[in-house]
Amino acid sequence: MKLFSPEFYAWMRQGSLRSAREIVPLICQLIKPDRGVDIACGTGEWLKVFREHGAQTVLGVEADWIDPDTLCIEKDEFLVRDIAEPLDIDDEFDLVLMLEAIQHVPAHRAREMVQTLTRLAPYVLLSAPVPYQGGSGDDVHEQWPEFWAALFEEREFVCIDALRRQIWTNERVDWWYAQNLLLFVKKEELMRNKALRLALAANLGPPPPLVHPKLYTARSVVAEPQR
């Protein structure tokens, strides 16, 4: 299943790298992943930045239309998989990322994908498009964040909504991350990490359904005044 053209990835590359360099330091204040995997990684900008912040092992997962010569990671750190199909990754990591991609997983496989993410790592960084966000023309399963939080709760993961407020007005961060970025944490990890406990205490309850002003403006149609 082809999601995006090479031109789309070229356009996204700069914004992804810029956004990651703003957001990754905030994540590293909470956790310090040594091993990271990015599902639907594009050309690997987020993994590149995590490596700059100390990650020793990274793995990018993406479909086969990515040109390996455009990767920001090594070619042997890249795994070809179609996220519309079940993922057979036999490894464990500290952190798994899935950023603006889970909407391409068919609705009937949403729970299975969450199970896969939570099997791969005790920390999951998820940016999931909200209803009517759109963007690629074939988004099939956009949901409000509470939907995903409920599926992660089934897996004993809690949602820490500590990032969106910090990046909401940061012009260097693409608005879709500011709107959608959530960290899901395996409950037993909270006992080991005071910073996570404090972040959770400051953001109790389901993650609110937010719409960023830039999306609202893009989707709004100003009606002409009646004459």
Side-chain angles (χ1 to χ4, degrees):
M1 181 180 68
K2 186 170 183 176
L3 300 183
F4 302 120
S5 67
E7 292 76 18
F8 178 87
Y9 281 117
W11 175 75
M12 287 289 291
R13 190 181 182 103
Q14 182 177 3
S16 295
L17 185 60
R18 183 183 65 248
S19 299
R21 285 194 164 136
E22 297 295 311
I23 295 170
V24 169
L26 301 177
I27 297 169
C28 290
Q29 292 175 9
L30 298 172
I31 61 175
K32 298 187 182 301
D34 184 62
R35 295 173 53 83
V37 57
D38 189 349
I39 307 299
C41 68
T43 49
E45 286 76 20
W46 282 80
L47 293 174
K48 170 183 171 69
V49 178
F50 270 107
R51 171 162 280 158
E52 291 171 356
H53 285 265
Q56 297 299 308
T57 301
V58 298
L59 177 67
V61 180
E62 187 53 276
D64 61 2
W65 56 87
I66 288 291
D67 180 356
D69 291 332
T70 67
L71 290 170
C72 293
I73 55 178
E74 299 298 324
K75 293 179 182 178
D76 61 0
E77 297 170 334
F78 181 70
L79 185 64
V80 175
R81 293 290 185 275
D82 185 342
I83 64 170
E85 303 296 332
L87 294 177
D88 57 343
I89 303 173
D90 187 19
D91 205 344
E92 295 182 355
F93 300 86
D94 302 316
L95 173 69
V96 55
L97 297 82
M98 193 167 191
L99 307 178
E100 299 297 306
I102 202 167
Q103 73 274 23
H104 300 298
V105 176
H108 70 275
R109 287 195 51 244
R111 178 174 279 104
E112 178 187 343
M113 176 55 76
V114 171
Q115 291 172 350
T116 296
L117 297 177
T118 55
R119 175 181 56 78
L120 286 171
Y123 300 100
V124 179
L125 187 66
L126 181 73
S127 184
V130 302
Y132 308 108
Q133 178 176 315
S136 70
D138 63 354
D139 299 318
V140 295
H141 191 221
E142 296 173 327
Q143 291 282 355
W144 295 110
E146 190 170 357
F147 172 88
W148 299 109
L151 292 185
F152 277 93
E153 176 66 27
E154 292 177 2
R155 299 286 292 175
E156 299 293 315
F157 275 62
V158 297
C159 178
I160 297 183
D161 187 10
L163 298 169
R164 293 191 292 176
R165 181 181 295 274
Q166 296 184 74
I167 61 178
W168 190 257
T169 59
N170 188 334
E171 290 295 328
R172 294 188 58 78
V173 173
D174 286 330
W175 63 260
W176 41 89
Y177 300 126
Q179 176 181 275
N180 301 326
L181 199 63
L182 300 170
L183 180 65
F184 292 93
V185 178
K186 196 170 185 178
K187 288 182 179 180
E188 63 189 47
E189 294 295 319
L190 295 173
M191 301 301 297
R192 307 186 183 103
N193 191 317
K194 182 179 179 180
L196 287 174
R197 294 197 301 273
L198 292 173
L200 178 61
N203 299 275
L204 292 175
L210 303 180
V211 175
H212 197 276
K214 290 186 178 180
L215 174 59
Y216 176 82
T217 301
R219 291 289 180 265
S220 296
V221 176
V222 179
E224 293 184 6
Q226 294 183 354
R227 297 183 183 275

Short mmCIF file of all heavy atoms in Angstrom, two decimals, residues 50-97:
data_model
loop_
_atom_site.label_atom_id
_atom_site.label_comp_id
_atom_site.label_asym_id
_atom_site.label_seq_id
_atom_site.Cartn_x
_atom_site.Cartn_y
_atom_site.Cartn_z
N PHE A 50 17.23 11.39 18.09
CA PHE A 50 17.38 10.59 19.31
C PHE A 50 18.81 10.08 19.45
O PHE A 50 19.35 10.01 20.56
CB PHE A 50 16.38 9.43 19.32
CG PHE A 50 15.08 9.78 19.97
CD1 PHE A 50 13.94 9.97 19.21
CD2 PHE A 50 14.98 9.95 21.34
CE1 PHE A 50 12.73 10.31 19.79
CE2 PHE A 50 13.78 10.29 21.95
CZ PHE A 50 12.65 10.47 21.18
N ARG A 51 19.43 9.72 18.34
CA ARG A 51 20.82 9.29 18.41
C ARG A 51 21.71 10.45 18.87
O ARG A 51 22.66 10.26 19.64
CB ARG A 51 21.27 8.76 17.05
CG ARG A 51 22.76 8.49 16.97
CD ARG A 51 23.09 7.58 15.81
NE ARG A 51 22.82 6.19 16.17
CZ ARG A 51 22.60 5.21 15.29
NH1 ARG A 51 22.57 5.48 14.02
NH2 ARG A 51 22.38 3.98 15.70
N GLU A 52 21.42 11.66 18.40
CA GLU A 52 22.19 12.83 18.84
C GLU A 52 22.06 13.05 20.35
O GLU A 52 22.92 13.66 20.96
CB GLU A 52 21.70 14.08 18.10
CG GLU A 52 22.03 14.09 16.61
CD GLU A 52 21.35 15.22 15.86
OE1 GLU A 52 20.57 15.97 16.48
OE2 GLU A 52 21.60 15.36 14.65
N HIS A 53 20.96 12.53 20.92
CA HIS A 53 20.72 12.69 22.36
C HIS A 53 21.02 11.41 23.14
O HIS A 53 20.51 11.24 24.25
CB HIS A 53 19.29 13.16 22.60
CG HIS A 53 19.09 14.61 22.26
ND1 HIS A 53 19.15 15.61 23.20
CD2 HIS A 53 18.85 15.21 21.07
CE1 HIS A 53 18.95 16.77 22.62
NE2 HIS A 53 18.77 16.57 21.32
N GLY A 54 21.80 10.52 22.57
CA GLY A 54 22.32 9.41 23.35
C GLY A 54 21.83 8.02 23.01
O GLY A 54 22.35 7.04 23.56
N ALA A 55 20.84 7.88 22.15
CA ALA A 55 20.38 6.54 21.79
C ALA A 55 21.48 5.79 21.05
O ALA A 55 22.12 6.33 20.14
CB ALA A 55 19.13 6.62 20.92
N GLN A 56 21.72 4.56 21.44
CA GLN A 56 22.79 3.77 20.86
C GLN A 56 22.31 2.88 19.72
O GLN A 56 23.07 2.59 18.79
CB GLN A 56 23.43 2.89 21.95
CG GLN A 56 24.09 3.69 23.05
CD GLN A 56 25.21 4.56 22.56
OE1 GLN A 56 26.12 4.09 21.87
NE2 GLN A 56 25.16 5.84 22.88
N THR A 57 21.06 2.44 19.80
CA THR A 57 20.51 1.52 18.80
C THR A 57 19.21 2.09 18.29
O THR A 57 18.32 2.43 19.08
CB THR A 57 20.27 0.13 19.40
OG1 THR A 57 21.50 -0.39 19.90
CG2 THR A 57 19.70 -0.82 18.36
N VAL A 58 19.06 2.19 16.97
CA VAL A 58 17.82 2.67 16.38
C VAL A 58 17.41 1.76 15.24
O VAL A 58 18.25 1.12 14.58
CB VAL A 58 17.94 4.13 15.88
CG1 VAL A 58 18.26 5.07 17.03
CG2 VAL A 58 18.96 4.25 14.76
N LEU A 59 16.11 1.71 15.01
CA LEU A 59 15.55 0.94 13.90
C LEU A 59 14.40 1.72 13.30
O LEU A 59 13.49 2.14 14.01
CB LEU A 59 15.05 -0.43 14.37
CG LEU A 59 14.38 -1.29 13.30
CD1 LEU A 59 15.40 -1.73 12.24
CD2 LEU A 59 13.71 -2.51 13.92
N GLY A 60 14.46 1.94 12.00
CA GLY A 60 13.37 2.59 11.29
C GLY A 60 12.59 1.58 10.47
O GLY A 60 13.19 0.72 9.81
N VAL A 61 11.28 1.69 10.50
CA VAL A 61 10.40 0.77 9.77
C VAL A 61 9.57 1.60 8.79
O VAL A 61 8.89 2.55 9.19
CB VAL A 61 9.49 0.00 10.73
CG1 VAL A 61 8.58 -0.95 9.95
CG2 VAL A 61 10.32 -0.77 11.75
N GLU A 62 9.62 1.24 7.52
CA GLU A 62 8.88 1.98 6.51
C GLU A 62 8.67 1.09 5.30
O GLU A 62 9.32 0.04 5.17
CB GLU A 62 9.64 3.27 6.15
CG GLU A 62 8.92 4.24 5.24
CD GLU A 62 7.54 4.63 5.72
OE1 GLU A 62 6.60 3.87 5.45
OE2 GLU A 62 7.40 5.70 6.35
N ALA A 63 7.78 1.49 4.41
CA ALA A 63 7.48 0.69 3.22
C ALA A 63 8.61 0.79 2.20
O ALA A 63 9.55 1.57 2.34
CB ALA A 63 6.15 1.12 2.63
N ASP A 64 8.46 0.02 1.12
CA ASP A 64 9.59 -0.20 0.23
C ASP A 64 9.80 0.89 -0.82
O ASP A 64 10.67 0.76 -1.66
CB ASP A 64 9.46 -1.56 -0.46
CG ASP A 64 8.20 -1.67 -1.31
OD1 ASP A 64 7.45 -0.66 -1.40
OD2 ASP A 64 7.97 -2.74 -1.89
N TRP A 65 8.99 1.96 -0.78
CA TRP A 65 9.21 3.02 -1.77
C TRP A 65 10.18 4.09 -1.28
O TRP A 65 10.49 5.02 -1.99
CB TRP A 65 7.89 3.68 -2.18
CG TRP A 65 7.11 4.24 -1.04
CD1 TRP A 65 7.21 5.48 -0.47
CD2 TRP A 65 6.09 3.56 -0.31
NE1 TRP A 65 6.33 5.63 0.56
CE2 TRP A 65 5.61 4.45 0.67
CE3 TRP A 65 5.52 2.28 -0.40
CZ2 TRP A 65 4.61 4.10 1.57
CZ3 TRP A 65 4.52 1.95 0.49
CH2 TRP A 65 4.08 2.85 1.46
N ILE A 66 10.67 3.94 -0.06
CA ILE A 66 11.70 4.86 0.42
C ILE A 66 13.02 4.56 -0.28
O ILE A 66 13.45 3.41 -0.36
CB ILE A 66 11.88 4.73 1.95
CG1 ILE A 66 10.69 5.34 2.68
CG2 ILE A 66 13.16 5.41 2.42
CD1 ILE A 66 10.61 6.84 2.57
N ASP A 67 13.66 5.59 -0.78
CA ASP A 67 14.99 5.45 -1.38
C ASP A 67 16.00 5.35 -0.25
O ASP A 67 16.18 6.30 0.52
CB ASP A 67 15.29 6.66 -2.26
CG ASP A 67 16.66 6.59 -2.91
OD1 ASP A 67 17.42 5.65 -2.63
OD2 ASP A 67 16.96 7.51 -3.71
N PRO A 68 16.69 4.22 -0.10
CA PRO A 68 17.65 4.07 1.01
C PRO A 68 18.73 5.15 1.03
O PRO A 68 19.27 5.45 2.09
CB PRO A 68 18.26 2.68 0.76
CG PRO A 68 17.23 1.95 -0.04
CD PRO A 68 16.57 2.99 -0.90
N ASP A 69 19.01 5.75 -0.11
CA ASP A 69 20.04 6.78 -0.15
C ASP A 69 19.59 8.08 0.51
O ASP A 69 20.42 8.97 0.75
CB ASP A 69 20.46 7.06 -1.59
CG ASP A 69 21.22 5.90 -2.22
OD1 ASP A 69 21.88 5.15 -1.46
OD2 ASP A 69 21.15 5.72 -3.44
N THR A 70 18.31 8.21 0.79
CA THR A 70 17.80 9.43 1.44
C THR A 70 17.69 9.28 2.96
O THR A 70 17.32 10.23 3.65
CB THR A 70 16.42 9.81 0.89
OG1 THR A 70 15.44 8.81 1.27
CG2 THR A 70 16.44 9.94 -0.63
N LEU A 71 18.02 8.11 3.50
CA LEU A 71 17.85 7.86 4.93
C LEU A 71 18.80 8.69 5.78
O LEU A 71 19.95 8.93 5.40
CB LEU A 71 18.08 6.38 5.23
CG LEU A 71 17.02 5.39 4.73
CD1 LEU A 71 17.52 3.96 4.90
CD2 LEU A 71 15.70 5.59 5.47
N CYS A 72 18.30 9.11 6.95
CA CYS A 72 19.13 9.78 7.95
C CYS A 72 19.77 8.78 8.91
O CYS A 72 20.51 9.18 9.82
CB CYS A 72 18.29 10.76 8.77
SG CYS A 72 17.68 12.15 7.81
N ILE A 73 19.45 7.51 8.75
CA ILE A 73 20.03 6.45 9.55
C ILE A 73 20.77 5.51 8.60
O ILE A 73 20.69 5.65 7.38
CB ILE A 73 18.94 5.68 10.34
CG1 ILE A 73 17.86 5.17 9.39
CG2 ILE A 73 18.34 6.59 11.42
CD1 ILE A 73 16.75 4.37 10.07
N GLU A 74 21.50 4.56 9.17
CA GLU A 74 22.23 3.61 8.33
C GLU A 74 21.25 2.65 7.65
O GLU A 74 20.18 2.35 8.16
CB GLU A 74 23.23 2.82 9.18
CG GLU A 74 24.28 3.68 9.85
CD GLU A 74 25.15 4.43 8.86
OE1 GLU A 74 25.46 3.87 7.78
OE2 GLU A 74 25.51 5.60 9.15
N LYS A 75 21.65 2.17 6.49
CA LYS A 75 20.77 1.28 5.74
C LYS A 75 20.48 -0.01 6.49
O LYS A 75 19.40 -0.59 6.35
CB LYS A 75 21.40 0.97 4.37
CG LYS A 75 21.47 2.20 3.47
CD LYS A 75 22.11 1.88 2.13
CE LYS A 75 22.20 3.13 1.26
NZ LYS A 75 22.86 2.85 -0.04
N ASP A 76 21.44 -0.47 7.31
CA ASP A 76 21.19 -1.70 8.07
C ASP A 76 20.35 -1.43 9.33
O ASP A 76 20.08 -2.37 10.09
CB ASP A 76 22.50 -2.39 8.43
CG ASP A 76 23.42 -1.55 9.30
OD1 ASP A 76 23.05 -0.40 9.64
OD2 ASP A 76 24.51 -2.03 9.65
N GLU A 77 19.95 -0.19 9.53
CA GLU A 77 19.04 0.17 10.62
C GLU A 77 17.62 0.41 10.10
O GLU A 77 16.79 0.97 10.79
CB GLU A 77 19.54 1.43 11.34
CG GLU A 77 20.89 1.24 12.00
CD GLU A 77 21.48 2.54 12.50
OE1 GLU A 77 21.17 3.61 11.94
OE2 GLU A 77 22.27 2.48 13.47
N PHE A 78 17.38 -0.02 8.89
CA PHE A 78 16.11 0.24 8.20
C PHE A 78 15.46 -1.09 7.83
O PHE A 78 16.10 -1.96 7.24
CB PHE A 78 16.36 1.08 6.95
CG PHE A 78 15.12 1.41 6.18
CD1 PHE A 78 14.19 2.30 6.68
CD2 PHE A 78 14.89 0.84 4.94
CE1 PHE A 78 13.06 2.63 5.95
CE2 PHE A 78 13.76 1.16 4.20
CZ PHE A 78 12.84 2.05 4.71
N LEU A 79 14.18 -1.22 8.19
CA LEU A 79 13.44 -2.46 7.95
C LEU A 79 12.23 -2.15 7.07
O LEU A 79 11.44 -1.25 7.38
CB LEU A 79 12.97 -3.06 9.28
CG LEU A 79 12.29 -4.42 9.25
CD1 LEU A 79 13.24 -5.50 8.77
CD2 LEU A 79 11.76 -4.75 10.65
N VAL A 80 12.10 -2.86 5.97
CA VAL A 80 11.00 -2.64 5.05
C VAL A 80 9.77 -3.43 5.50
O VAL A 80 9.81 -4.66 5.57
CB VAL A 80 11.39 -3.05 3.62
CG1 VAL A 80 10.18 -2.94 2.68
CG2 VAL A 80 12.54 -2.20 3.11
N ARG A 81 8.70 -2.71 5.84
CA ARG A 81 7.44 -3.32 6.22
C ARG A 81 6.29 -2.39 5.83
O ARG A 81 6.45 -1.17 5.81
CB ARG A 81 7.36 -3.57 7.74
CG ARG A 81 8.31 -4.61 8.29
CD ARG A 81 7.94 -6.01 7.84
NE ARG A 81 8.78 -7.02 8.48
CZ ARG A 81 9.98 -7.41 8.05
NH1 ARG A 81 10.51 -6.83 6.97
NH2 ARG A 81 10.67 -8.34 8.69
N ASP A 82 5.15 -2.97 5.55
CA ASP A 82 3.93 -2.22 5.26
C ASP A 82 3.10 -2.19 6.53
O ASP A 82 2.68 -3.24 7.03
CB ASP A 82 3.15 -2.92 4.13
CG ASP A 82 1.93 -2.12 3.68
OD1 ASP A 82 1.47 -1.23 4.43
OD2 ASP A 82 1.43 -2.40 2.57
N ILE A 83 2.83 -1.00 7.08
CA ILE A 83 2.12 -0.92 8.37
C ILE A 83 0.66 -1.32 8.25
O ILE A 83 -0.01 -1.51 9.26
CB ILE A 83 2.24 0.48 8.99
CG1 ILE A 83 1.55 1.54 8.11
CG2 ILE A 83 3.69 0.83 9.26
CD1 ILE A 83 1.42 2.88 8.77
N ALA A 84 0.16 -1.44 7.03
CA ALA A 84 -1.21 -1.92 6.86
C ALA A 84 -1.32 -3.42 7.13
O ALA A 84 -2.42 -3.95 7.25
CB ALA A 84 -1.73 -1.60 5.46
N GLU A 85 -0.18 -4.09 7.22
CA GLU A 85 -0.12 -5.52 7.50
C GLU A 85 0.46 -5.73 8.90
O GLU A 85 1.14 -4.86 9.45
CB GLU A 85 0.76 -6.22 6.46
CG GLU A 85 0.30 -6.02 5.03
CD GLU A 85 -1.07 -6.61 4.77
OE1 GLU A 85 -1.43 -7.61 5.46
OE2 GLU A 85 -1.79 -6.09 3.90
N PRO A 86 0.20 -6.90 9.52
CA PRO A 86 0.77 -7.17 10.85
C PRO A 86 2.30 -7.07 10.83
O PRO A 86 2.95 -7.50 9.88
CB PRO A 86 0.30 -8.61 11.13
CG PRO A 86 -0.95 -8.76 10.33
CD PRO A 86 -0.72 -7.97 9.07
N LEU A 87 2.86 -6.50 11.88
CA LEU A 87 4.30 -6.30 11.97
C LEU A 87 4.96 -7.44 12.72
O LEU A 87 4.55 -7.78 13.83
CB LEU A 87 4.61 -4.97 12.66
CG LEU A 87 4.18 -3.70 11.93
CD1 LEU A 87 4.48 -2.48 12.77
CD2 LEU A 87 4.87 -3.59 10.57
N ASP A 88 5.99 -8.00 12.14
CA ASP A 88 6.70 -9.13 12.74
C ASP A 88 8.10 -8.70 13.16
O ASP A 88 9.10 -9.18 12.62
CB ASP A 88 6.75 -10.32 11.77
CG ASP A 88 7.42 -9.96 10.44
OD1 ASP A 88 7.53 -8.75 10.15
OD2 ASP A 88 7.83 -10.87 9.72
N ILE A 89 8.17 -7.81 14.13
CA ILE A 89 9.47 -7.31 14.62
C ILE A 89 9.80 -8.06 15.91
O ILE A 89 9.14 -7.87 16.93
CB ILE A 89 9.42 -5.80 14.87
CG1 ILE A 89 9.02 -5.07 13.58
CG2 ILE A 89 10.77 -5.29 15.38
CD1 ILE A 89 8.79 -3.59 13.76
N ASP A 90 10.79 -8.92 15.84
CA ASP A 90 11.14 -9.76 16.98
C ASP A 90 12.30 -9.12 17.74
O ASP A 90 13.45 -9.55 17.65
CB ASP A 90 11.51 -11.17 16.49
CG ASP A 90 11.74 -12.13 17.65
OD1 ASP A 90 11.27 -11.83 18.76
OD2 ASP A 90 12.40 -13.16 17.44
N ASP A 91 11.99 -8.06 18.48
CA ASP A 91 13.02 -7.36 19.24
C ASP A 91 12.33 -6.53 20.32
O ASP A 91 11.10 -6.38 20.31
CB ASP A 91 13.85 -6.46 18.32
CG ASP A 91 15.26 -6.20 18.88
OD1 ASP A 91 15.47 -6.46 20.08
OD2 ASP A 91 16.11 -5.74 18.11
N GLU A 92 13.11 -5.98 21.23
CA GLU A 92 12.58 -5.12 22.28
C GLU A 92 13.37 -3.83 22.32
O GLU A 92 14.58 -3.81 22.07
CB GLU A 92 12.64 -5.81 23.64
CG GLU A 92 11.74 -7.04 23.74
CD GLU A 92 11.79 -7.68 25.12
OE1 GLU A 92 12.59 -7.22 25.97
OE2 GLU A 92 11.04 -8.64 25.35
N PHE A 93 12.67 -2.73 22.65
CA PHE A 93 13.27 -1.41 22.66
C PHE A 93 12.87 -0.67 23.93
O PHE A 93 12.00 -1.12 24.68
CB PHE A 93 12.82 -0.63 21.42
CG PHE A 93 13.20 -1.28 20.12
CD1 PHE A 93 12.40 -2.25 19.55
CD2 PHE A 93 14.38 -0.94 19.47
CE1 PHE A 93 12.75 -2.87 18.36
CE2 PHE A 93 14.75 -1.55 18.29
CZ PHE A 93 13.93 -2.52 17.73
N ASP A 94 13.49 0.48 24.15
CA ASP A 94 13.09 1.34 25.25
C ASP A 94 11.92 2.23 24.86
O ASP A 94 11.06 2.55 25.68
CB ASP A 94 14.26 2.23 25.70
CG ASP A 94 15.46 1.42 26.11
OD1 ASP A 94 15.29 0.42 26.83
OD2 ASP A 94 16.59 1.78 25.72
N LEU A 95 11.92 2.67 23.60
CA LEU A 95 10.93 3.62 23.13
C LEU A 95 10.53 3.27 21.70
O LEU A 95 11.38 2.98 20.87
CB LEU A 95 11.49 5.05 23.16
CG LEU A 95 10.64 6.16 22.54
CD1 LEU A 95 9.39 6.40 23.37
CD2 LEU A 95 11.45 7.45 22.39
N VAL A 96 9.21 3.31 21.44
CA VAL A 96 8.72 3.16 20.08
C VAL A 96 7.98 4.43 19.70
O VAL A 96 7.23 5.00 20.50
CB VAL A 96 7.83 1.91 19.93
CG1 VAL A 96 6.68 1.90 20.91
CG2 VAL A 96 7.29 1.79 18.51
N LEU A 97 8.22 4.89 18.49
CA LEU A 97 7.55 6.06 17.95
C LEU A 97 6.60 5.63 16.84
O LEU A 97 6.94 4.74 16.03
CB LEU A 97 8.55 7.06 17.38
CG LEU A 97 9.57 7.72 18.29
CD1 LEU A 97 10.76 6.80 18.52
CD2 LEU A 97 10.06 9.03 17.70
#
